[in-house]
Structure formats: structure tokens, C-alpha cells
């Protein structure tokens, strides 16, 4: 029987308990059949959920390992490029042609890098981008713990399934 079918059987059992017309032996037999099978199904669900949790943790660890390896390779690549460029500049060579590659030192394109040296208060307003205000959630929660307001409220906490 599927889990949702067991849930339907549970509702039928509940109705049998409340109507008072079903004899106690039938109720006991029905309870044993439903609860035993339901618990078996729930246990199977729990096994699958715990297996998935273990797989998720393994994948997270692998993601972290691969991310660390990628970062290491990126840093090595950057260091090699910097070393090659500095040495080419040191000997005055801006272009090297080989059978496989053409290597050159070139100026970066695009706009020139911008550095703001002064304080933000010293910059005229026309050069500033207005930002929409953001709600400070911690401050609003603190206020709601003291009193109610018309513009905010706290929702009840949700539920979760615990499997140990």
C-alpha cells in the first residue's frame, strides 16, 4: 500500500473510532495493520532521506575540494602570467612568436580605472547614486517583541521532519 493510501486508511480508522458502531476487535486489527505498515513505510522514507543527506554531504565536500583545486590552479596561472610578463618587460620584449603561440604585452582596453580618494561627503550630489532604503529586520523584530505595529508582524515558525 502506498503512503497516501495508508493515510486514507488512517482517516477511516479515525471515523470508526468516533462513530462507536464498530466492535473493538475490528478496530484493534485495523490499527495493527495500518500502524505497522505505516511505520514500515515511514522507516523506508527515513532511510531514503538519510541516504540522500549523506550523498548531499559527500557532494558538498567534493564541491569544496574541487573549488579549492580550481582556486589553486587560477592562482598558479596568474603567477605564471605575471612572471612571464615581468620578464618580457625587463628584457624589453613586448611580442614573442612561437610555432604554437603569439605572446604579447598589451595595454588593457576599456575605461581607465577609477579610484575615489576623497570622503563621500566631499563628492557633489550629482555624482552619487541614490539607494532605496533597506529594512533592518533585527531592529523590527526587537520592536515587535515590545509592541505591535500596523506595518509589520511575525509569522509563526514552520515545521520540519526530524530523523535521527
Amino acid at each position: 500500500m502506498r503512503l497516501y493510501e495508508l493515510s486514507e486508511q488512517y482517516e477511516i480508522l479515525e471515523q470508526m473510532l468516533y462513530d462507536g458502531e464498530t466492535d473493538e476487535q475490528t478496530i484493534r486489527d485495523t490499527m495493527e495493520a495500518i500502524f505497522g505498515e505505516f511505520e514500515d513505510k515511514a522507516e523506508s522514507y527515513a532511510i531514503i532521506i538519510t541516504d540522500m543527506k549523506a550523498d548531499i554531504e559527500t557532494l558538498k565536500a567534493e564541491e569544496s575540494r574541487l573549488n579549492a583545486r580550481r582556486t589553486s590552479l587560477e592562482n598558479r596561472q596568474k603567477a605564471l602570467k605575471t612572471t612571464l610578463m615581468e620578464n618580457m618587460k625587463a628584457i624589453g620584449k613586448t611580442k614573442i612568436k612561437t610555432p604554437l603561440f603569439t605572446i604579447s604585452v598589451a595595454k588593457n582596453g576599456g575605461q581607465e580605472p577609477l579610484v575615489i580618494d576623497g570622503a563621500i561627503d566631499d563628492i557633489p550630489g550629482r555624482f552619487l547614486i541614490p539607494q532605496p532604503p533597506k529594512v533592518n529586520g533585527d531592529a523590527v523584530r526587537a520592536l515587535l517583541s515590545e509592541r505591535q505595529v500596523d506595518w509589520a508582524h511575525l509569522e509563526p515558525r514552520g515545521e520540519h521532519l526530524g530523523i535521527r
Side-chain angles (χ1 to χ4, degrees):
M1 211 180 275
R2 297 175 192 255
L3 192 60
Y4 72 89
E5 292 171 334
L6 289 170
S7 296
E8 291 171 357
Q9 292 295 322
Y10 178 78
E11 289 176 18
I12 292 170
L13 173 64
E14 192 174 31
Q15 289 173 0
M16 287 171 40
L17 290 168
Y18 282 104
D19 71 12
E21 295 176 14
T22 311
D23 66 280
E24 288 205 28
Q25 187 58 42
T26 305
I27 291 174
R28 272 193 224 116
D29 292 343
T30 307
M31 286 175 71
E32 285 180 26
I34 292 174
F35 290 135
E37 197 169 339
F38 189 86
E39 288 172 1
D40 291 342
K41 294 281 185 186
E43 184 178 43
S44 297
Y45 268 64
I47 288 170
I48 292 169
I49 290 168
T50 2
D51 285 349
M52 284 180 167
K53 183 178 179 183
D55 288 345
I56 289 167
E57 293 304 317
T58 302
L59 290 171
K60 282 182 182 178
E62 188 65 10
E63 286 172 1
S64 297
R65 185 188 69 81
L66 290 173
N67 187 39
R69 184 164 184 223
R70 178 186 53 84
T71 302
S72 175
L73 287 173
E74 287 172 345
N75 290 338
R76 285 181 192 166
Q77 176 195 34
K78 185 177 177 181
L80 287 171
K81 286 175 74 174
T82 301
T83 301
L84 179 59
M85 186 171 77
E86 287 173 355
N87 283 291
M88 287 176 66
K89 287 167 66 175
I91 63 169
K93 199 116 172 134
T94 58
K95 193 171 192 177
I96 300 171
K97 282 192 175 195
T98 72
L100 294 177
F101 302 101
T102 299
I103 305 162
S104 62
V105 177
K107 297 272 184 191
N108 292 335
Q111 295 180 331
E112 294 176 329
L114 174 65
V115 177
I116 305 296
D117 296 321
I120 193 118
D121 295 336
D122 298 336
I123 302 171
R126 69 177 190 254
F127 298 108
L128 301 175
I129 299 172
Q131 300 287 321
K134 291 184 179 181
V135 175
N136 181 343
D138 292 335
V140 174
R141 279 187 183 83
L143 173 66
L144 290 173
S145 70
E146 297 170 10
R147 64 184 172 95
Q148 290 183 342
V149 294
D150 294 335
W151 47 270
H153 70 278
L154 295 174
E155 290 283 319
R157 288 189 177 93
E159 298 177 335
H160 73 280
L161 181 67
I163 299 174
R164 289 184 239 157

